[in-house]
Structure formats: structure tokens, C-alpha cells
Amino acid sequence: MIEANNPSLKTWIEVAKESDFPIQNIPFGIFAPEGKTPRPASRIGDTVIDLSALCDNGFFDDLEIDNYGVFYSPVLNDFIELGKPIWSAVRNRISEIFSLNNKELLNNEVAKKSILYGIDKVDMLLPVEIGDYTDFYSSIEHATNVGIMFRDPENALLPNWKHIPVGYHGRSSSIVVSGTNIHRPMGQTKADDALAPTFGPSRLVDFELETAFITGKNSKLGEHITVDQTEDYIFGMVLFNDLSARDIQKWEYVPLGPFLSKSFGSVISPWIVTMEALEPFMVDGPKQDPAVLPYLDFEGKKNIDISLQVSLTPEDGEDTIICNSNFKYMYWNMNQQLAHHTINGCNINIGDMYGSGTISGPTPDSYGSMLELSWKGTKPIKLKDGTERKFIQDNDTITMRGSATNGDLRIGFGECTTKILPAKLK
Ligand code: MN
């Protein structure tokens, strides 16, 4: 077992029982303490750990890292470039420093002051510089629901769906960190019975409940990453709200796929949870039938039991949980997605991001978008305040949460939240 994953480990930092960040998590992120430059961090409970300050105080000296400058960088890309053995060694070292019986930092008040911050005292920033962004479409329940609503209930899945992890190349410039609010987009839409399109604010803004993984190793153009090799290329995961304007999407997507309906802002959670921390939660995925082509074949447990939740909060209102889903429902796993992505020789880079596609489960309360929850607007969603929603209204806040639990151990992602602001009409 990875020592930092030991479920019996305890820490001298206070951690609430329901925290997503016990000492067994040790995620990585970028934060800016007040008046200071952005820098790498980890987190235990509600305490943010400044990795540059740990480095200043010599806590990483025995790790034999080639470039200690990575702990002072405003993005994690350089740290990630050091490779999987170093991610692992740093995570284990942080775990050691904060273990209950370790007094090396505990008794050093001066060092503690420079290293530890309350989460409410700092801003979390985008953890990596995202080069390329790809979005998949890998939930069979989601693809089936969309097929039933927009095409043919008898042939809901297109003929390629069970053979290829379908995806498209998205836009990385508009990916923002949780807490960033997004304006309702303007765009072209056309009603079915209208002769011509009109221009105005989208009326059908939706969330897509997704996770995303971030790659931690470059590959060369012309090279293929096999399913087995993908383990070395995936650094970790975040929650991902792939905001979508359904009315713009419907008019623009033929024949090349979504364009402006998906690029007005997409939101990720700030803490990258490592694949190591998620290792105790691996499960089997759905049976793939028909059998996949050999280059997509895999062995072992490749899905992860991560329960996912979405809540909608009206302006000055109360939260209503409108979706409970789980990452384990995914038909295609991340390893297959990455193997497929590179089978043509497409190269990938450190910091690239890959969305799972909307994660819907088998029951109507587990659908991962308002399009499905309200079934194209025909079944409005009831909120606690008595109002109803078909899609997101101005000043509604969408919050996604995700966590994996196993006995007393809970590894979570924190929140991915955004408020939809009114359109900028001029
Ligand atoms: Mn999406």
C-alpha cells in the first residue's frame, strides 16, 4: 500500500469528520496568500499548506529533486513535469510532516506561521496552465437520453458509440477556477418554426456534471500511448462544470459539433486529487458489449466510485440538490479515452485537460444536466423555495461536489461553483 493512503493515519491538523481533505488526500493546487504571488499548495482539512514555504524551511531537502524552482511556480506544470515518482515522493513527504507523531514542524511556531493558512484567508487559482482541452461523451445513460430526446428512441445510440470513446477538441482559454462567475452568453438561435435565426441572450443555459483528468507527461507526435501506459500519464482529477447553451448548440452544431455553445466559460474545482489518492476506490465499470477493438482492451478495475452531487441556489435562496450521480457509471474509462486519443499519433502535453462528458446515472434523479433532469423542459425541477427551473436562470449558483468513501475514509474534491450572471447586452 502507498504509505500516504494508510487509512489509520492521523494528523495534528484539525480535520472535520465530513471533510473532503483528510491526511490521506494530499491534493495539489495553486493559491495566492494575501499580498503574495501565486504558489503551489496542498490542503488538510481547512488548512492550506504553502509548498514554497515548506521548501524554504528545508522540508523537501532529502527528496533529491532536480529543480526546486517548481515549488515557487504560479502553475503546477513544472512540478508535474518532474514525473510520477516525484509526485508520489512529495505527497508521502507531506503526509509524514503532518502525521500525528511527527513534531518537526508541529513544534516550530515560526515555520508554521509561514507555511499554514486558513482556506477562508486565501484565493484559489487555476492549478495548471491548460494547453489543450478535449471533451468526451462517455456516459451511456447521457448519450442514450440525448438520443431519445433529439433523434430516435429506438436507435438512441449512434452506431459508433459502443466502439469509440466519442469526443471533440474544446477550447482551453475559457476554462476558469471555481468561484468565477460567468455571464449568460449572447448568440444565434433559431426556433424550429422560425424562418431565420435571431440574435440575443441564450435562454437555455445548462450545466454538465463532469470530472476531468489532467495529463502529467508529454508524448511525441506519431506515438501511441497504450492502455497500460496511460497510468503513467494521468496526474489527477478535478470536478468540471462544462456550461452549455443548449439553444445555441442546437443551431450551430451541424456538421462539425459544438462551438460557441460550450466556450463561454467552463469551471473546474481548484484541487487536483491525485490518482494515487483515488486508488482505494477503483471499481469495475459496466460490461462493454460488443467487445472493444484490441487497442481499447484493458484489465483490472478502471472505474472509480466517486459520488457526485449538483445543487442549485437561487439569488439569496436556499440550496436544492438536483442531481446525485456517480463516476462509476462511465461506460468508457479514462485509460481507454487517452489510448484512443493518441491512437492516430496525436501528441499530448503536461497540463492538458480531458472532460469525461456529462455523467448521468440510470435513474432520473442522477441525470447530469438540466436538459435531462427537466427532460427538455417538459418536467420542471422543483426547488425548495417553491420555484421551478427548466434551465439555469440569471443569478442562480450551480455547485458541484464529489467524494469517494470507503468505511471511515473519505477523499473528496471540495466544490466547483459558479453563478450565472445576466447577459452583457451591449
Ligand atoms: Mn461536456
Side-chain angles (χ1 to χ4, degrees):
M1 185 175 44
I2 300 157
E3 190 41 42
N5 286 359
N6 183 347
S8 60
L9 279 180
K10 296 211 174 347
T11 172
W12 49 265
I13 291 184
E14 192 187 319
V15 182
K17 194 170 180 298
E18 287 299 293
S19 175
D20 281 347
F21 304 100
I23 191 169
Q24 290 82 0
N25 192 336
I26 318 281
F28 293 98
I30 293 286
F31 84 119
E34 205 185 330
K36 292 184 178 166
T37 53
R39 61 205 51 206
S42 187
R43 172 174 178 173
I44 296 176
D46 287 338
T47 301
V48 176
I49 301 159
D50 183 339
L51 302 191
S52 74
L54 275 181
C55 189
D56 285 343
N57 283 275
F59 284 99
F60 295 143
D61 283 358
D62 53 354
L63 293 182
E64 292 174 18
I65 292 172
D66 289 342
N67 171 18
Y68 280 94
V70 301
F71 295 113
Y72 303 85
S73 173
V75 284
L76 290 172
N77 300 56
D78 294 341
F79 168 68
I80 295 172
E81 191 173 0
L82 295 175
K84 195 174 176 178
I86 299 295
W87 317 334
S88 189
V90 170
R91 186 167 168 269
N92 278 327
R93 181 75 184 113
I94 295 169
S95 165
E96 239 172 62
I97 298 164
F98 294 95
S99 289
L100 193 59
N101 299 323
N102 191 323
K103 308 276 191 264
E104 47 183 330
L105 175 59
L106 177 62
N107 293 336
N108 185 341
E109 290 304 325
V110 177
K112 270 202 297 196
K113 221 176 159 213
S114 70
I115 294 167
L116 305 180
Y117 294 83
I119 185 71
D120 52 343
K121 297 279 191 295
V122 303
D123 289 325
M124 294 307 301
L125 306 175
L126 211 56
V128 282
E129 184 181 343
I130 301 166
D132 274 312
Y133 152 53
T134 300
D135 197 21
F136 286 95
Y137 190 60
S138 290
S139 153
I140 194 165
E141 287 84 1
H142 174 67
T144 303
N145 288 340
V146 172
I148 292 171
M149 278 188 272
F150 291 98
R151 285 188 308 270
D152 174 7
E154 299 304 311
N155 297 289
L157 289 180
L158 287 167
N160 63 358
W161 201 89
K162 285 188 165 182
H163 298 280
I164 289 176
V166 170
Y168 70 96
H169 290 112
R171 178 131 196 115
S172 57
S173 66
S174 52
I175 297 172
V176 295
V177 76
S178 175
T180 309
N181 298 330
I182 302 288
H183 285 275
R184 177 177 300 275
M186 302 289 287
Q188 270 197 37
T189 59
K190 186 182 137 339
D192 287 339
D193 54 359
L195 291 172
T198 53
F199 177 76
S202 165
R203 285 174 300 145
L204 307 183
V205 174
D206 197 359
F207 65 80
E208 288 187 335
L209 168 63
E210 303 194 23
T211 60
F213 67 90
I214 286 153
T215 40
K217 192 173 170 180
N218 297 331
S219 70
K220 290 201 184 83
L221 185 64
E223 255 177 25
H224 165 223
I225 303 170
T226 66
V227 168
D228 291 340
Q229 290 167 338
T230 55
E231 303 285 342
D232 288 338
Y233 283 83
I234 302 177
F235 175 65
M237 292 174 72
V238 292
L239 301 176
F240 179 44
N241 180 353
D242 187 21
L243 289 168
S244 301
R246 301 297 182 195
D247 43 358
I248 296 174
Q249 183 177 355
K250 190 178 170 207
W251 173 232
E252 76 174 0
Y253 89 102
V254 185
L256 289 185
F259 184 31
L260 306 183
S261 56
K262 303 267 187 177
S263 61
F264 59 95
S266 306
V267 190
I268 64 170
S269 54
W271 296 103
I272 305 177
V273 177
T274 64
M275 298 318 294
E276 269 192 14
L278 292 166
E279 206 264 340
F281 308 97
M282 304 303 295
V283 292
D284 288 319
K287 183 174 161 45
Q288 296 182 329
D289 181 22
V292 297
L293 285 168
Y295 81 93
L296 292 168
D297 214 358
F298 66 97
E299 278 175 26
K301 298 178 191 303
K302 299 293 181 199
N303 276 37
I304 316 177
D305 184 358
I306 304 170
S307 63
L308 301 164
Q309 202 178 65
V310 183
S311 67
L312 188 153
T313 316
E315 181 85 326
D316 303 321
E318 207 185 337
D319 273 39
T320 303
I321 293 169
I322 57 175
C323 163
N324 279 296
S325 188
N326 195 306
F327 185 67
K328 72 182 176 189
Y329 298 131
M330 299 306 288
Y331 188 86
W332 295 101
N333 60 56
M334 297 185 289
N335 309 78
Q336 292 177 309
Q337 290 171 339
L338 192 54
H340 181 68
H341 203 307
T342 59
I343 192 63
N344 65 344
C346 172
N347 52 325
I348 60 142
N349 288 307
I350 290 164
D352 289 351
M353 198 183 104
Y354 309 74
S356 57
T358 305
I359 305 167
S360 294
T363 55
D365 64 325
S366 64
Y367 296 165
S369 65
M370 291 178 82
L371 175 72
E372 294 162 271
L373 289 165
S374 76
W375 206 254
K376 231 174 146 183
T378 60
K379 297 177 184 169
I381 302 158
K382 290 189 172 46
L383 303 183
K384 280 186 188 162
D385 66 2
T387 62
E388 293 183 338
R389 292 289 186 283
K390 295 173 179 172
F391 290 91
I392 303 173
Q393 290 184 2
D394 285 348
N395 301 309
D396 284 348
T397 297
I398 300 295
T399 303
M400 297 179 172
R401 295 183 180 86
S403 59
T405 52
N406 188 348
D408 285 340
L409 181 62
R410 174 195 173 101
I411 301 292
F413 290 81
E415 287 184 357
C416 175
T417 187
T418 187
K419 188 201 268 193
I420 299 301
L421 302 173
K424 285 183 167 175
L425 293 171
K426 282 183 187 169

